[in-house]
Amino acid sequence: MELRQYGAILRRWLWFVALGTLLVGGVTYVISRNTTPVYQATATIFVDQASNVNESVYGTIIASERQAQTFAQLMLTRPVLDAVTARLGLSELKSDISVQPIQDTQLIRVDVEDTDKELATQIANTIPAIFVEQHTERQLQKFTGSRDSLDKEIRALSTNISQVQTKITELEAIQNRTSAQDADLSRFRDSLQQYRNSYANLVKSFEDLRLNEARATDTISIVEPAEVPKKPIRPRILLNTVLGLLVGMVLAIGGVLLIEYLDDTLKNPDDVVAALKLSTLGAIPRTRQDSADADADRQLVTFLNPKSPISEAYRILRTNIQFSSLDKPIRTLLVTSANPSEGKSTTASNLAAVMAQTGQKVVLIDTDLRRPVIHKVFNVPNNIGLTSALLTPPDPTTLAHLIQPTEIKNLSVLTSGPLPPNPSELLGSHR
């Protein structure tokens, strides 16, 4: 099929395409309007990975990407979600939660969708907070043993220093000390100095431990907390309606093309040629008629309006018939169709008129014995006609008066005559 054929089909079925488009678009609009709105709250987290001096730059990048993916998955684990449910006092967490790292950054995005925008915001802010607490606790557990051991030693040394300092103070308060007391005072001072050196070393070790702990601990912070959304993310009524209109139009056009593909009726000369492998003699434009019993002004157009395009179409039909058999001129033509009111009488009347206008002697016989209209077209009586001839003995002298002249020169008509009760038997007889 050519593009012009598709265009003709769409023009003919434009009402169907418009109806299908509006129907699907309307249904989409109604469904979107009645759908419960869903809101989305978003929180953004910044992750500062612990530095490792022994790792290359490429290794650091790979580690950062893997760490972001790991943190994103950890936020969706059961311990985190259970803690969120407990903190918010919920019986069940029904929200749609999505955690994704933002590509090429150290940021992680937490999206929460829910029909309750306040709840969605609370969940989006609580998930990162719970995760930070749990992750920090896991990181601190690595140094808990060493930190507790150093803290214990520092407290013990502090106690010893206090005790020795007290004894030194007591001995120094004595005015007349004995040699033994002086020896004790000197020993306590030496011990105090050793305790203070040891205490300083332990404090330094404790600070080094805290520094290593800080270096080895990932820093996670919420850089953009979730805010209460003002508009729902779905349904998008306008977008859904536009998509519905497009889908409806596509479906309607597809339906039209399918109907045309399955339709094997003949609608134009090209269909006749394609189906029957026969050429068409002519194509007559459709004429509007108010009723089945239209008057002659509407049916005998070749006589009343000989310059009209319809009259020209009948003259083309006449010429094609004449050229279809040059060696043996055509003497008899039968005009028929499968169903009533398809233009048999109109075509036969106008074809007879244009043939008579060329000077040929033409007799138009009306063999429609159910609903004859030829006598109305030419305004002649129908009290005698074909049925009279069939019921009369075959005498040419008695049949001549049955043929009636018309206003058109060289054209006579044999009307149907009185309608019989059995037209099929009458037309099928030998007479």
Side-chain angles (χ1 to χ4, degrees), residues 179-221:
S179 57
Q181 288 176 335
D182 288 335
D184 291 338
L185 179 60
S186 177
R187 180 169 51 83
F188 285 143
R189 286 175 176 173
D190 293 339
S191 298
L192 179 62
Q193 185 62 36
Q194 292 177 359
Y195 284 152
R196 284 177 176 175
N197 292 337
S198 299
Y199 183 84
N201 292 332
L202 288 176
V203 170
K204 184 177 182 302
S205 299
F206 188 81
E207 292 299 329
D208 292 341
L209 178 64
R210 291 181 59 185
L211 181 60
N212 293 332
E213 181 180 346
R215 290 177 178 175
T217 302
D218 300 323
T219 302
I220 305 175
S221 58

Side-chain angles (χ1 to χ4, degrees), residues 40 288 393 414:
Q40 183 184 65
R288 180 180 178 273
L414 177 61

